[in-house]
Amino acid sequence: MKLNDLNETKIRKFSTDTIYDRGYDYYESGMVYELDYDPNTDSLQAMVSGNYGDYEVDITSEQGRIDADCDCPYDGYPCKHIVAVLLTYIHKQNKYIEEALEHKKETSSLKVKIKALPKDELAELILSCASQYTDFKRELLVRFEPDNKITLTTIVKQVEKAFPSALSHNYYPSNITRQLKAIMKSVEDASDTIKAEVYWAVADRILTELNEYGMDEESLEDVAINALESLAECLENNRSLRQRKKEIIEKLMEYYTWGNCGIKDYIYDSVYQLCSDKSDYQILTESLEVHIKKASFKSYYQNLLADLYNAIGDQTSRLKTLERNLQYGSDYWRLAEYWIEQGDNNKALQIMHEGLENGEGRKAELYLYFQEHYQKQNDYDQIFNLLKRKIQNHDLDNHDFKSDATYRCLWQHYTSKNDYQMQEKLLKLRLDKEIDLDLYKGAEKTLHQTDWSEFEDKILTQLKDAIPKNQRARSWRWSYPSKDEETLAEIYHYKKDFKNLLETIKNHYSLLDKYKKELLPLFPEDYLEKYCDIIDNFIAVRGRNNYNIAAGYAKKVKRIFQTILKEPEKWQRYIQKLRRTHKNLPAMQDEFAGL
């Protein structure tokens, strides 16, 4: 598909309804500017004013599809800025095509005139432009004086100038990233020395910014990551930069131990990849040794340190590191792994037993090892004891039964052996600790009818008994449902016991909406009462956002009156009374307009 074949329908299909609507608002508001169309490549370039600065959009038509890019932080595709640019183009398509053709003529004419200039006059013109335009000056310096110290000094200053004060009103990360990308692009064909210094200047400045302000700014993070990746290529390709590489490793470790930005782990990965010999790794080990002494959470850094000693073949230091500060089960596991590597399984088992006894959580690897160890011995009694230990110490995987590896192992084994007694025992263990729909279904499928009736009564009774306590703890009756209420609702829905389902969820508008497909046709009057109650509650709280939510429920009330109950006159009486009651709330009247 070519850009000239686009229309609103095709653009809507290209995006989601929400993104299309937002993009349309941007188009109508004139947020798109500096739009250029290139007929030779069938591409668009434009700027779009956004909430946090201006964003650059590039769009091309390739092999029958639209390929677009925007430097905004939105994760999805396409974003509203891309849609806004496409809509702007199709509504003024002829204008942009004419401008492109005119620009082509002007460029051709300009080219002839520039070629006709005397050399001195042309040189004066170029130098004049260089003094006025930063990007042009940088291009000239990189091309004609790449090894001059002034060139590098100038570019580094430009990197610094790209950052206004973070407290100023013109601090827009999108503008900063655009300038930094242009700077990095300008040195792509320069020497490794120049590129390395420029890429490092960009990464260094961004990491300082992120750490100083504790920022989580994705656009700046992406540029820093790209700069570090490009820097690594330069340093790997040029042995003359080895000393500079060590200096950069030291600085990156400072940023890593500072640890006040969202790409901390990526920084460490970058440093680790830069290391190529023992002296490089030594910088990391020395930095981590100092950091561990001050860190409140030592386990993670000790693991990194042990890996570093392993990488350089220093097994003595690795073992000493693993033996320090054994606090969590994972600490014992890593030490046990060491002895497994050394072939001393008895030593490893002893350490793992100590880990189960003394570790403060994070014991998943230890439990799994013992589980597999007992499986090989076909000792499922020991695995059952392992499960009971997990329950007692609150160590279940993800804190629930259905995802716990030990529970699943036992359930599969006893099911395959048709061991009804042990299956029932497992179900009762769950009943005492955790009730969910998965337990209900499993018990229904497994237990004999007499046992199942008694078990089902216990499930429903326990859930019902828990709910009043939760309700009394709430300050507002329309708050979120408790886990017990959600589970009870799921069970009644599964049983198709819709009367009890309605009774369970009637005070929670989120659950009323969740189950309305089944319940609304059966209990329209009840839904009408609850929706009207919800509307009153949200209006009483005040605020446009609450009025907007109330208006959404008013639409549901309208549908019940008109479509299900076939009583449109009652809807009219209801909405008229609501407007009269709240006639002094103009924002509410505005949100309810058109109903």
Side-chain angles (χ1 to χ4, degrees):
M1 181 190 299
K2 294 184 177 180
L3 293 176
N4 292 343
D5 297 329
L6 286 172
N7 54 39
E8 287 191 7
T9 301
K10 291 178 180 178
I11 296 173
R12 182 180 285 277
K13 289 181 179 179
F14 170 63
S15 63
T16 64
D17 288 342
T18 301
I19 291 298
Y20 179 86
D21 292 340
R22 291 175 180 172
Y24 203 95
D25 289 341
Y26 268 53
Y27 150 66
E28 281 196 323
S29 301
M31 308 293 272
V32 178
Y33 66 98
E34 291 184 10
L35 191 153
D36 292 317
Y37 171 65
D38 185 346
N40 295 324
T41 58
D42 196 23
S43 63
L44 296 171
Q45 280 191 323
M47 301 298 296
V48 183
S49 298
N51 295 327
Y52 303 101
D54 298 340
Y55 302 112
E56 185 175 351
V57 175
D58 294 295
I59 302 173
T60 57
S61 173
E62 294 182 357
Q63 299 178 345
R65 64 183 181 86
I66 302 299
D67 188 16
D69 180 68
C70 177
D71 61 0
C72 74
Y74 178 62
D75 289 334
Y77 179 84
C79 66
K80 60 189 175 184
H81 309 109
I82 291 172
V83 171
V85 171
L86 290 173
L87 289 169
T88 302
Y89 173 71
I90 66 168
H91 284 97
K92 297 181 180 179
Q93 186 173 312
N94 292 335
K95 170 195 169 187
Y96 292 118
I97 293 175
E98 289 174 5
E99 286 180 354
L101 294 174
E102 186 63 31
H103 177 70
K104 189 175 182 179
K105 290 179 184 177
E106 290 175 357
T107 302
S108 177
S109 174
L110 191 61
K111 185 176 180 180
V112 172
K113 292 177 180 178
I114 290 175
K115 281 188 172 183
L117 286 175
K119 288 184 178 180
D120 290 344
E121 189 175 345
L122 180 60
E124 186 178 337
L125 176 63
I126 291 173
L127 292 173
S128 175
C129 289
S131 66
Q132 296 181 60
Y133 304 105
T134 302
D135 291 349
F136 186 57
K137 179 180 180 180
R138 183 176 62 247
E139 296 287 346
L140 291 178
L141 288 171
V142 172
R143 179 169 181 176
F144 295 109
E145 295 186 337
D147 299 323
N148 192 321
K149 288 185 178 180
I150 295 177
T151 299
L152 185 56
T153 302
T154 301
I155 296 176
V156 171
K157 285 182 178 179
Q158 290 179 1
V159 171
E160 184 63 36
K161 287 182 179 179
F163 288 81
S165 168
L167 303 178
S168 68
H169 294 297
N170 61 336
Y171 188 92
Y172 298 119
S174 59
N175 293 343
I176 298 171
T177 57
R178 190 176 305 111
Q179 293 178 64
L180 296 179
K181 286 178 180 178
I183 291 171
M184 291 170 62
K185 185 175 179 60
S186 69
V187 299
E188 285 179 350
D189 297 324
S191 66
D192 283 338
T193 302
I194 290 291
K195 287 194 291 187
E197 292 300 337
V198 172
Y199 295 149
W200 172 241
V202 171
D204 186 30
R205 185 61 184 82
I206 293 175
L207 294 177
T208 298
E209 191 85 353
L210 295 177
N211 277 287
E212 280 188 348
Y213 295 101
M215 295 172 63
D216 185 16
E217 176 50 56
E218 188 175 345
S219 60
L220 288 176
E221 292 171 353
D222 287 344
V223 176
I225 289 171
N226 291 335
L228 289 173
E229 289 175 349
S230 300
L231 173 64
E233 292 179 12
C234 296
L235 297 176
E236 289 171 7
N237 296 335
N238 197 322
R239 292 185 64 83
S240 67
L241 297 173
R242 286 181 60 79
Q243 182 55 40
R244 185 60 174 138
K245 181 179 75 168
K246 293 184 185 299
E247 294 169 358
I248 289 171
I249 288 174
E250 289 178 353
K251 186 64 177 176
L252 282 173
M253 283 304 294
E254 289 180 18
Y255 285 125
Y256 175 71
T257 55
W258 191 349
N260 197 36
C261 72
I263 55 172
K264 177 183 174 181
D265 290 338
Y266 183 85
I267 294 171
Y268 183 81
D269 291 341
S270 298
V271 179
Y272 192 86
Q273 291 170 12
L274 287 175
C275 294
S276 57
D277 58 38
K278 192 170 182 177
S279 62
D280 292 338
Y281 287 111
Q282 189 172 355
I283 298 172
L284 274 65
T285 58
E286 291 175 355
S287 176
L288 286 175
E289 287 283 14
V290 172
H291 186 60
I292 286 173
K293 294 176 182 178
K294 299 181 290 185
S296 56
F297 180 61
K298 302 179 186 298
S299 178
Y300 177 73
Y301 298 107
Q302 285 181 190
N303 186 34
L304 295 180
L305 190 57
D307 287 344
L308 288 172
Y309 285 129
N310 190 43
I312 61 178
D314 186 349
Q315 295 302 325
T316 301
S317 295
R318 178 190 177 199
L319 178 58
K320 287 181 179 179
T321 302
L322 291 171
E323 289 176 332
R324 283 189 290 178
N325 302 310
L326 292 173
Q327 180 178 3
Y328 301 103
S330 54
D331 298 329
Y332 289 92
W333 168 247
R334 286 193 290 268
L335 180 57
E337 276 188 309
Y338 171 85
W339 288 111
I340 292 172
E341 289 174 18
Q342 306 306 312
D344 194 339
N345 289 334
N346 289 331
K347 180 72 171 177
L349 278 172
Q350 176 190 339
I351 291 167
M352 285 190 277
H353 275 295
E354 292 174 4
L356 285 183
E357 290 294 332
N358 304 320
E360 299 175 11
R362 300 178 187 173
K363 304 176 187 177
E365 295 94 346
L366 300 176
Y367 281 116
L368 185 59
Y369 184 89
F370 280 112
Q371 175 188 315
E372 292 174 349
H373 175 71
Y374 294 136
Q375 275 183 283
K376 290 175 184 177
Q377 299 176 349
N378 200 33
D379 191 344
Y380 283 86
D381 288 340
Q382 285 287 10
I383 299 176
F384 192 84
N385 290 334
L386 204 63
L387 177 62
K388 289 197 292 185
R389 177 195 281 267
K390 275 188 167 185
I391 295 170
Q392 181 179 352
N393 296 329
H394 307 287
D395 287 334
L396 289 173
D397 300 344
N398 298 320
H399 304 291
D400 66 38
F401 280 86
K402 62 184 176 184
S403 63
D404 184 78
T406 308
Y407 179 85
R408 293 203 313 272
C409 167
L410 289 167
W411 184 262
Q412 290 168 6
H413 173 73
Y414 293 133
T415 301
S416 68
K417 298 296 183 181
N418 292 318
D419 191 333
Y420 179 81
Q421 183 180 2
M422 290 307 298
Q423 285 179 293
E424 184 180 24
K425 203 168 184 178
L426 284 174
L427 291 169
K428 287 180 177 178
L429 275 179
R430 284 186 68 174
L431 180 63
D432 290 339
K433 298 294 180 180
E434 169 191 283
I435 299 176
D436 57 19
L437 182 60
D438 181 73
L439 170 64
Y440 185 92
K441 290 180 178 180
E444 181 186 36
K445 182 179 178 181
T446 304
L447 296 177
H448 299 156
Q449 185 57 46
T450 304
D451 293 331
W452 163 239
S453 297
E454 182 181 348
F455 197 87
E456 182 186 29
D457 287 343
K458 288 182 179 178
I459 288 178
L460 298 177
T461 299
Q462 284 185 214
L463 289 172
K464 291 175 183 176
D465 287 346
I467 290 173
K469 301 173 187 175
N470 293 324
Q471 286 180 336
R472 283 196 296 271
R474 297 191 188 105
S475 58
W476 187 33
R477 64 180 300 201
W478 294 106
S479 60
Y480 290 107
S482 69
K483 183 179 179 181
D484 298 309
E485 287 168 307
E486 289 182 330
T487 300
L488 188 58
E490 287 174 350
I491 290 173
Y492 283 137
H493 181 255
Y494 170 73
K495 286 164 56 74
K496 298 189 184 305
D497 185 348
F498 297 129
K499 184 176 181 180
N500 276 316
L501 173 58
L502 178 65
E503 182 64 26
T504 302
I505 69 171
K506 63 183 181 181
N507 289 330
H508 301 291
Y509 59 85
S510 60
L511 293 181
L512 285 168
D513 283 349
K514 179 178 180 179
Y515 295 108
K516 69 179 179 181
K517 181 179 179 181
E518 293 88 354
L519 296 183
L520 182 55
L522 298 173
F523 308 103
E525 295 284 357
D526 295 274
Y527 262 77
L528 193 62
E529 178 186 348
K530 296 304 174 186
Y531 281 166
C532 290
D533 196 6
I534 291 171
I535 292 168
D536 291 340
N537 272 292
F538 276 106
I539 292 176
V541 175
R542 301 288 190 265
R544 183 172 288 274
N545 185 55
N546 290 313
Y547 298 149
N548 179 266
I549 296 173
Y553 279 96
K555 291 178 182 177
K556 301 174 192 285
V557 169
K558 182 178 181 180
R559 177 177 173 271
I560 294 173
F561 273 126
Q562 294 186 337
T563 307
I564 299 177
L565 297 178
K566 308 295 184 182
E567 297 176 333
E569 68 285 352
K570 288 188 177 180
W571 158 252
Q572 289 299 328
R573 288 199 294 271
Y574 170 77
I575 192 64
Q576 289 172 8
K577 181 181 179 181
L578 196 66
R579 287 195 176 108
R580 286 196 304 271
T581 303
H582 303 290
K583 61 182 178 181
N584 295 325
L585 300 177
M588 174 265 173
Q589 298 287 346
D590 184 43
E591 292 295 332
F592 276 68
L595 284 174

